[in-house]
Amino acid sequence: MSNKQLTPTSFAILGLLSIQPFTTYELAQQMDRTLSWFWPRAASMVYEEPKKLVTAGLATSQASFTGKRRSTVYEITDAGRTALQDWLETPAAGMRMEFEAMIKVAFADAGDADQLRSAVREIRADAEARLAEILDRSTQYATTGGPFPDRLPIVAITGKLLMGQYQAVVRWAQWAEDAIGEWTGVTPATGATVPPYAFTSEWPAPDAEHTVKTSVIGDSDFG
């Protein structure tokens, strides 16, 4: 198999294997814990990718047993490390959003104001929950160093972006809730108006009720 047939998911798995050997179950756990924040993939795909890496000569596999339970441990090869380093030098696609709830917001004028308010509330609740998870993880890693302390500088760089993204979503949701709070409809004819700050880079000054918690710990782990 040519390296050209490998996907970004292949190299994501290879990146995890560059840290240490993992079973496919452990790889799925690591994908869910770390990469799912910006590269969500089904567990079934995670279970298949290591086999492709072995076929390509970029990883090896070896059976291991815990009692009678059999599992396969994958380990990166020298060729795999070289392929990963080469891939890190190639151009990559930028950020793309996959955000179902925003589709509801984008077409809210096909429904009513209550449906729009409900969609925004759901977005805010999800973002606040994710942000709380990030901040909790940050506290853990600032305190303990995490399972891979040598990776902390890199994972801090990754985590800070994710923290900022969810802070931005929470800020947007707060602004949107305020903007649509008194709407009687979702079109100008039924009571919707263009809210302040809509078409500028400015935001209203936060009040005490809407202050977003932003600085618990400077570092955040996602690896």
Side-chain angles (χ1 to χ4, degrees):
M1 176 184 293
S2 167
N3 287 358
K4 293 182 179 180
Q5 295 176 275
L6 300 178
T7 67
T9 302
S10 306
F11 286 103
I13 297 294
L14 204 57
L16 289 173
L17 292 178
S18 74
I19 302 172
Q20 68 173 46
F22 286 110
T23 66
T24 45
Y25 175 74
E26 290 168 337
L27 285 169
Q29 285 186 312
Q30 286 296 316
M31 285 288 288
D32 182 64
R33 174 180 170 81
T34 61
L35 299 180
S36 65
W37 290 86
F38 48 86
W39 195 252
R41 289 298 180 269
S44 58
M45 181 179 291
V46 178
Y47 276 78
E48 289 301 316
E49 285 296 327
K51 299 175 185 177
K52 291 170 58 177
L53 297 175
V54 171
T55 300
L58 306 181
T60 60
S61 62
Q62 183 175 350
S64 65
F65 292 86
T66 303
K68 294 184 178 181
R69 183 177 178 179
R70 185 183 186 278
S71 59
T72 302
V73 177
Y74 291 89
E75 185 170 359
I76 194 170
T77 63
D78 290 341
R81 291 188 185 278
T82 299
L84 180 60
Q85 290 170 355
D86 290 344
W87 176 76
L88 289 171
E89 292 184 1
T90 61
M95 184 177 70
R96 300 290 186 272
M97 294 181 68
E98 184 175 305
F99 200 164
E100 181 185 357
M102 278 303 295
I103 301 176
K104 294 185 176 183
V105 174
F107 296 104
D109 50 356
D112 58 45
D114 285 341
Q115 290 172 326
L116 173 57
R117 283 189 279 266
S118 177
V120 173
R121 282 196 302 269
E122 289 174 1
I123 291 171
R124 177 175 176 176
D126 176 75
E128 288 178 336
R130 298 283 274 179
L131 181 57
E133 184 178 350
I134 291 171
L135 295 173
D136 180 65
R137 185 86 59 86
S138 297
T139 301
Q140 294 175 28
Y141 277 78
T143 303
T144 69
F148 308 111
D150 289 345
R151 303 198 71 242
L152 205 56
I154 294 299
V155 297
I157 295 295
T158 306
K160 194 66 172 179
L161 173 63
L162 299 176
M163 185 186 297
Q165 287 176 324
Y166 283 103
Q167 288 168 344
V169 174
V170 172
R171 180 176 63 179
W172 168 84
Q174 292 169 343
W175 170 81
E177 286 181 330
D178 288 343
I180 65 180
E182 301 302 321
W183 284 9
T184 55
V186 287
T187 66
T190 58
T193 59
V194 175
Y197 303 96
F199 301 119
T200 77
S201 61
E202 303 298 320
W203 293 89
D207 57 32
E209 181 182 356
H210 284 172
T211 298
V212 180
K213 186 177 182 182
T214 59
S215 57
V216 174
I217 298 296
D219 295 337
S220 181
D221 170 70
F222 291 86

